[in-house]
């Protein structure tokens, strides 16, 4: 004869019911330990990727790079990924979710910057010989982060806002128009703010170099956005099939 469920297990959420049943069956006496059920959304994975990309691109941006006539920084190949992630989050989960992801990534990057500052300030061991190199690489990070976070916060919020506003008019059609229009606006503001702060830190001195830095960064980021549109389409279409959707339907991402 099975033991009737306790009164506390009656309110167990549906997603955690199976785990609670297994736990109660294995516990012959006393109360089984309880845990909060995990949600099935992939939103948290996108937030984590958002934060990692932002932190790594800030570290990479401390290195100035010159390829022929092109002037850029070491984070040039990473940062556009943040906008692709931002487009997916805005398209699938909406502006409020995008704002949450942006602010969370902002906080993570700020925390990383504070950690670097503390690590640099701590006294080095007598046998440690890498302090000078450590400071040279990570010392500018708090300053880079200041410009990056300001540009990222303003640019990404604009990117998400424009995408959602265009979606209100186009609904589920013309995803390419939402992706490109939001990127053109968000990346311009982001690039201009970041380059103004980062340029003197990485050694850019002339106005010509600064203009090169801004133009190359802006064109490159927008170009990456356009080139990965097929990938963005595939990811968005997949998520709209697997994630709970706001109107009860699971529409495809259409051109």
């Amino acid at each position: 004869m099975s033991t009737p469920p306790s009164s506390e297990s009656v309110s167990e959420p549906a997603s955690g019911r199976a785990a609670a049943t297994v736990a109660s069956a294995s516990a012959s006496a006393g109360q089984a330990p309880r845990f909060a059920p995990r949600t099935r959304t992939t939103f948290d994975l996108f937030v984590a990727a958002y934060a990692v990309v932002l932190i790594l691109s800030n570290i990479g941006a401390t290195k100035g790079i010159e390829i022929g006539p092109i002037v850029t920084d070491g984070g040039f190949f990473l940062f556009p990924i943040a906008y692709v992630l931002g487009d997916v989050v805005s398209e699938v989960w909406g502006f409020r979710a995008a704002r949450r992801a942006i602010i969370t990534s902002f906080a993570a990057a700020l925390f990383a910057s504070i950690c670097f500052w503390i690590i640099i300030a701590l006294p080095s061991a007598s046998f440690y010989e890498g302090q000078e190199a450590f400071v040279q690489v990570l010392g500018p990070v708090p300053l880079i982060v200041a410009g990056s976070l300001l540009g990222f916060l303003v640019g990404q919020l604009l990117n998400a806002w424009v995408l959602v506003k265009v979606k209100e008019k186009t609904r589920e059609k013309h995803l390419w128009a939402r992706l490109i229009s939001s990127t053109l606006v968000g990346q311009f503001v982001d690039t201009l703010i970041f380059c103004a702060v980062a340029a003197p830190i990485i050694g850019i001195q002339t106005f010509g170099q600064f203009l090169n830095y801004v133009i190359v960064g802006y064109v490159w980021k927008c170009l990456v956005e356009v080139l990965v549109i097929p990938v963005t389409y595939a990811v968005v279409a997949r998520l709209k099939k697997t994630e709970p959707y706001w109107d009860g339907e699971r529409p495809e991402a259409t051109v």
Side-chain angles (χ1 to χ4, degrees):
M1 183 174 180
S2 59
T3 303
S6 65
S7 59
E8 292 186 6
S9 64
V10 173
S11 60
E12 183 76 7
S15 59
R17 202 168 292 158
T21 302
V22 173
S24 61
S26 62
S28 57
Q31 172 122 12
R34 297 180 57 134
F35 303 97
R38 286 174 46 189
T39 58
R40 296 181 179 179
T41 179
T42 53
F43 173 72
D44 52 344
L45 298 179
F46 274 82
V47 174
Y50 230 142
V52 169
V53 168
L54 180 60
I55 292 171
L56 291 179
S57 62
N58 285 337
I59 296 174
T62 62
K63 178 179 179 178
I65 291 179
E66 192 170 9
I67 306 174
I70 297 175
V71 177
T72 184
D73 59 63
F76 79 96
F77 68 97
L78 274 170
F79 196 74
I81 300 175
Y83 270 78
V84 175
L85 294 172
D87 286 339
V88 173
V89 170
S90 301
E91 172 68 20
V92 176
W93 288 286
F95 180 72
R96 292 182 64 184
R99 182 175 59 192
R100 179 181 176 185
I102 293 167
I103 294 175
T104 301
S105 302
F106 182 99
L110 182 61
F111 177 71
S113 178
I114 294 172
C115 289
F116 291 144
W117 179 78
I118 293 174
I119 294 169
I120 290 172
L122 291 172
S124 301
S126 58
F127 55 81
Y128 182 68
E129 299 179 355
Q131 178 68 10
E132 185 177 346
F134 191 87
V135 173
Q136 189 173 2
V137 173
L138 294 178
V141 169
L143 299 176
I144 291 287
V145 167
S148 175
L149 291 185
L150 181 59
F152 176 80
L153 185 62
V154 177
Q156 282 282 13
L157 287 174
L158 277 174
N159 180 77
W161 183 81
V162 170
L163 190 147
V164 171
K165 286 298 180 183
V166 176
K167 185 175 182 178
E168 289 177 359
K169 298 183 180 298
T170 59
R171 297 298 176 183
E172 297 302 320
K173 297 180 180 179
H174 309 307
L175 174 58
W176 61 269
R178 300 195 288 278
L179 297 176
I180 294 176
S181 60
S182 62
T183 296
L184 291 176
V185 175
Q187 288 285 17
F188 177 74
V189 176
D190 189 342
T191 303
L192 187 61
I193 293 174
F194 174 75
C195 290
V197 176
I201 297 173
I202 66 174
I204 291 178
Q205 298 177 346
T206 68
F207 180 74
Q209 289 176 330
F210 173 74
L211 195 60
N212 187 317
Y213 189 31
V214 173
I215 294 175
V216 167
Y218 179 64
V219 172
W220 165 254
K221 293 170 186 176
C222 293
L223 181 62
V224 169
E225 177 80 28
V226 173
L227 291 177
V228 300
I229 279 181
V231 178
T232 307
Y233 261 77
V235 173
V236 167
R238 175 64 179 171
L239 288 171
K240 286 182 178 181
K241 288 180 178 179
T242 57
E243 291 293 299
Y245 213 57
W246 64 272
D247 57 1
E249 299 178 356
R250 291 177 176 177
E252 299 284 348
T254 55
V255 177

